[in-house]
Amino acid sequence: LTSTYAHHLLKITMMTSSWPTALAALTIAILSQGGVLAFQTAHQSFAASCSSSRCSSPVHRLLASGSDASTDKSDDDNVGPDILQPFVPAMDPTYSARGPVGEGKFIISRTGPPTAEEMSNEQMLKIVKIECNDLEVNTLVWKCLGYRFNEEEEKWEPTEVFPNWKERFPDPPDFIGMQRVYSREVDQPSLRSNQALVRSIPPGNKQSLKTQLKPIGWKGYNYKELTPNKTRRAQCANWIVFFREELFGYTVEELKERRRLRKEAEAAAEAKMREEGKEVDTWKPPVKEVF
């Protein structure tokens, strides 16, 4: 575990600026003794120190901003998006099972299947407005896909995961990039899993999120304010809306039968267009459904 943290800490050091060797050694020592909880206690002390002394060192900036706050705004709206600082607690392999979930206004529980309340439009609005943490977004998507949390063993299991998805992702992937380290080596698995999630949405449901949230005040992000975190949150929220409207409450067999009937109807419509001498566009965007 210690070597894992050391590896990521060194990567962050290279991405920001030189850190005192003593701090890195101290952090690793804390982690080896108490894991995430001990680190978070030390993290809060550093952040408080930064606040009281107005310190602007790279170390204090990282610690002060690494608390996975529910805001994602730059100091100056004219300078473009705020690229979030690395979030060290998410580097703990146990973070998905022990990190904070359901402690704020976002309605979510690790246990059980997803509920209608957890998937409401108000919840989706909180996701895109960064009013919940990254782990809470991941947790809701995991539950929708069929992963279930084993409380006794403190781990996620693919108990009810859709067959096609389970083949590729037996363990729940990080769709957001909770570490907020966007180097290729670290971020590639998150990026690929998010892309796979997006590819499972049919063309007719690609804009479901905007359609659902526009009446309650969200029209989408401005291009200049986009960050990887915001983009992936919106994609996850859009998939949850798709799941809620098209997959929730159906068995895999029922979903396959609905797909068969839909394809038959599409084929009949195309045949009628040909009979009428109309041009038929046979190209369809590739969709890799989760079931």
Side-chain angles (χ1 to χ4, degrees):
L1 179 61
T2 301
S3 62
T4 300
Y5 277 103
H7 171 73
H8 288 298
L9 285 168
L10 287 173
K11 292 179 71 67
I12 295 173
T13 302
M14 294 173 64
M15 292 177 59
T16 54
S17 59
S18 294
W19 291 13
T21 305
L23 176 63
L26 172 62
T27 305
I28 294 170
I30 293 172
L31 292 169
S32 65
Q33 291 296 318
V36 171
L37 294 179
F39 174 77
Q40 288 178 328
T41 301
H43 160 266
Q44 291 168 0
S45 298
F46 273 111
S49 172
C50 177
S51 176
S52 61
S53 63
R54 298 181 182 274
C55 178
S56 60
S57 70
V59 172
H60 280 84
R61 285 201 303 271
L62 172 62
L63 293 172
S65 64
S67 58
D68 201 18
S70 61
T71 59
D72 186 21
K73 299 178 182 179
S74 60
D75 293 332
D76 184 350
D77 292 339
N78 296 321
V79 298
D82 174 27
I83 303 301
L84 298 175
Q85 294 287 349
F87 182 54
V88 179
M91 296 174 188
D92 185 341
T94 67
Y95 182 70
S96 65
R98 297 181 179 177
V101 165
E103 297 179 359
K105 295 182 179 180
F106 191 75
I107 302 169
I108 186 67
S109 169
R110 279 193 177 91
T111 58
T115 66
E117 188 178 23
E118 290 176 336
M119 297 183 290
S120 69
N121 285 343
E122 289 72 23
Q123 290 274 98
M124 299 306 102
L125 187 62
K126 290 175 184 176
I127 290 177
V128 297
K129 293 180 70 174
I130 328 280
E131 294 178 358
C132 59
N133 66 44
D134 294 345
L135 178 57
E136 290 174 320
V137 181
N138 270 327
T139 298
L140 182 52
V141 179
W142 294 340
K143 291 175 63 172
C144 291
L145 284 166
Y147 298 100
R148 295 293 177 260
F149 188 66
N150 185 323
E151 292 186 89
E152 292 185 1
E153 298 187 18
E154 288 193 327
K155 68 177 185 179
W156 287 92
E157 298 174 341
T159 310
E160 301 176 24
V161 175
F162 291 108
N164 285 355
W165 186 268
K166 185 178 179 179
E167 288 181 11
R168 186 172 178 185
F169 300 102
D171 297 315
D174 176 6
F175 296 105
I176 302 293
M178 295 187 292
Q179 298 182 27
R180 296 175 181 176
V181 176
Y182 299 109
S183 65
R184 179 180 177 86
E185 180 183 2
V186 175
D187 189 55
Q188 189 80 347
S190 291
L191 176 62
R192 294 307 182 204
S193 63
N194 187 281
Q195 290 173 336
L197 196 69
V198 172
R199 281 196 297 270
S200 73
I201 304 175
N205 299 92
K206 294 291 187 183
Q207 299 297 318
S208 295
L209 184 65
K210 286 186 178 180
T211 302
Q212 294 288 332
L213 298 192
K214 187 175 181 180
I216 57 176
W218 191 76
K219 300 179 181 179
Y221 295 124
N222 293 324
Y223 179 78
K224 69 175 184 178
E225 68 176 333
L226 284 176
T227 65
N229 186 274
K230 285 183 175 180
T231 300
R232 295 176 194 182
R233 278 173 171 266
Q235 289 165 336
C236 285
N238 192 58
W239 186 87
I240 294 169
V241 171
F242 159 65
F243 169 83
R244 183 187 74 195
E245 300 298 319
E246 302 293 339
L247 308 182
F248 186 49
Y250 293 99
T251 65
V252 172
E253 290 71 23
E254 290 171 335
L255 291 173
K256 290 180 177 180
E257 177 63 13
R258 292 180 71 203
R259 179 175 61 190
R260 184 187 68 80
L261 294 174
R262 183 176 64 251
K263 288 183 176 181
E264 285 185 356
E266 291 174 352
E270 290 178 0
K272 183 177 180 180
M273 290 177 65
R274 290 190 180 94
E275 290 177 0
E276 297 173 350
K278 297 179 181 179
E279 184 177 352
V280 177
D281 184 2
T282 58
W283 184 87
K284 293 181 176 60
V287 178
K288 192 171 183 179
E289 295 169 309
V290 293
F291 59 87

